[in-house]
Amino acid sequence: MHTGLFAADGNPLNLWDALAVRCEANPDFRARLQIRLAGKVDAAVTDAIRARGLGGNLVELGYLPHDETVREQCAADILLLPLRREPEYAKVLPGKIFEYLAARRPVLGIGQEDGAAAAILRDAAAGEMFDWDKTDELLAFLDADHPQTSGIEKYTRRALTARLAELL
């Protein structure tokens, strides 16, 4: 599941490649796979998914009201957090990461493994960040059992606001 803006410069081609390989090797996986996209999605993303033979697994939900988006996030098996492929983006924390943490679902990040978002995913035990050229590791993540996230409390609005007040 991905929610929100899905820009072409964050298109995780390695993920689509890995999913295509898995679908080719495992018809049961293909039958169960749904790539659910809610929000504004660049055509390059959906074109890349279809080009890899995954069009039948693609569910384009379009724009949804926020409460429906949150329900979709909470119902997802895995939430996708693709970051832009720019060196400066290693320091960026997209707002989406906090919504994903609140959903308490495993987060599969594609981006800088040593960046700020990766550090939060590790610290919160909420998922993993993989570089854009990794595919085997992505498949291993998809195959793994993911326990309920346990370290997100310090990233809630209440906790972050209290920390900011402390600093001020």
Side-chain angles (χ1 to χ4, degrees):
M1 176 86 215
H2 179 276
T3 62
L5 176 63
F6 203 155
D9 59 358
N11 193 359
L13 299 177
N14 61 329
L15 176 60
W16 312 142
D17 290 338
L19 292 174
V21 167
R22 175 57 52 84
C23 285
E24 186 67 30
N26 186 337
D28 291 335
F29 180 83
R30 179 182 290 280
R32 290 189 329 269
L33 177 65
Q34 282 191 7
I35 303 168
R36 298 177 68 80
L37 307 178
K40 183 175 175 160
V41 180
D42 193 288
V45 174
T46 54
D47 290 348
I49 292 168
R50 287 186 180 97
R52 285 156 177 80
L54 300 171
N57 304 94
L58 178 60
V59 179
E60 295 180 84
L61 300 169
Y63 176 80
L64 297 174
H66 187 258
D67 60 328
E68 287 180 42
T69 301
V70 170
R71 276 196 296 277
E72 285 284 339
Q73 290 170 349
C74 292
D77 291 322
I78 293 176
L79 295 167
L80 177 59
L81 181 68
L83 301 180
R84 293 184 175 160
R85 196 172 188 155
E86 301 169 8
E88 306 82 37
Y89 220 74
K91 300 172 190 163
V92 172
L93 283 177
K96 180 189 332 268
I97 196 170
F98 298 102
E99 285 204 354
Y100 278 11
L101 291 175
R104 296 185 177 268
R105 305 304 305 139
V107 178
L108 169 59
I110 311 285
Q112 295 89 341
E113 293 175 330
D114 61 346
I120 286 183
L121 292 179
R122 277 191 305 275
D123 186 53
E128 292 184 48
M129 184 71 67
F130 299 96
D131 195 49
W132 293 276
D133 62 354
K134 301 224 172 143
T135 55
D136 292 339
E137 295 86 345
L138 291 173
L139 290 173
F141 181 85
L142 294 173
D143 291 339
D145 288 328
H146 301 282
Q148 178 108 1
T149 58
S150 58
I152 69 159
E153 290 72 25
K154 65 181 157 189
Y155 296 106
T156 64
R157 285 184 181 162
R158 181 178 304 273
L160 289 173
T161 302
R163 178 72 177 127
L164 179 60
E166 226 175 75
L167 291 172
L168 293 175

